[in-house]
Amino acid sequence: MTTTETRNKLYYTAGDLSDLLGISLGHSYKLIRKLNEELAEDGYMTISGKVSKRYFEKRWYGYEA
């Protein structure tokens, strides 16, 4: 996937996170599950196997995207 395609996404998949962070797919799924649990606790709707790009960047890099 090119940088432009990744930039235009609203959600990251496990494959996207695996490529971005250099981690295994299994670890990517665990990370997505944890982030989605946090969102669900705050009352947000989530999609299994995907995480909001904005929320990921906020939690991982510490800034609003």
Side-chain angles (χ1 to χ4, degrees):
M1 177 169 304
T2 66
T3 306
T4 304
E5 290 171 334
T6 304
R7 229 181 303 166
N8 292 331
K9 287 187 160 200
L10 294 176
Y11 292 91
Y12 284 142
T13 63
D16 296 331
L17 292 186
S18 179
D19 291 342
L20 284 170
L21 304 175
I23 59 176
S24 70
L25 275 175
H27 192 74
S28 296
Y29 279 112
K30 288 179 187 176
L31 182 58
I32 288 171
R33 195 173 306 117
K34 180 182 181 331
L35 293 172
N36 279 340
E37 285 172 2
E38 292 175 5
L39 285 167
E41 286 174 7
D42 289 339
Y44 293 97
M45 296 178 68
T46 61
I47 299 172
S48 296
K50 295 183 179 188
V51 67
S52 161
K53 179 180 171 183
R54 285 186 172 196
Y55 188 69
F56 168 77
E57 291 176 349
K58 177 182 176 185
R59 291 285 284 124
W60 194 262
Y61 300 113
Y63 61 84
E64 295 290 329

